[in-house]
Amino acid sequence: MSSRNEADSMSPVRRALQPEPVMAAESSCWVYYHKPIIVMLIGGLLFAAGTVIAFLYFSQVGRVPYALGPVCLSIGLMFLVTGLVWVPVIKQKVRQKRLIREMYARRSAT
């Protein structure tokens, strides 16, 4: 229980210097980018579904509710843009973490 309180009260620099679990130590891209990739995939699918539903509504092929196409289009676009913005944020976070570790390693080596 005390180690949890210590982890909560640590500064961000100390948290960045803390050893990562074995899975993250491999530094696979999937570890960092799986969430935004999944969000972008869901957004793309919703956007495509919204496009098809809107096409079906405007071509009057099927009996499609009026608001269903635009709702899917907007939600899909929102997810897609969120995922696209998330990727550079993660890149910057990983780079900053690496720089802090390198700086700390240089400082402890001297």
Side-chain angles (χ1 to χ4, degrees), residues 7-57:
D8 291 340
S9 64
M10 286 191 329
S11 71
V13 174
R14 285 188 179 234
R15 263 188 250 139
L17 296 174
Q18 194 118 21
E20 293 184 1
V22 176
M23 185 180 82
E26 298 170 1
S27 71
S28 169
C29 287
W30 182 251
V31 172
Y32 296 109
Y33 297 111
H34 73 279
K35 289 179 184 177
I37 288 173
I38 291 170
V39 168
M40 285 188 290
L41 182 66
I42 290 171
L45 290 173
L46 277 171
F47 188 78
T51 305
V52 169
I53 292 170
F55 174 75
L56 288 175
Y57 173 77

Side-chain angles (χ1 to χ4, degrees), residues 1 20-21 34 38 41 46-47 50-52 58-59 62 68 70 86-88 91 106 108:
M1 201 64 153
E20 293 184 1
H34 73 279
I38 291 170
L41 182 66
L46 277 171
F47 188 78
T51 305
V52 169
F58 288 118
S59 64
L68 190 59
W86 201 350
V87 170
K91 279 185 181 179
R106 272 191 251 141
S108 66

Side-chain angles (χ1 to χ4, degrees), residues 13-14 17 99-110:
V13 174
R14 285 188 179 234
L17 296 174
L99 288 174
I100 289 173
R101 284 198 179 142
E102 288 174 2
M103 185 175 68
Y104 182 74
R106 272 191 251 141
R107 203 166 81 189
S108 66
T110 57

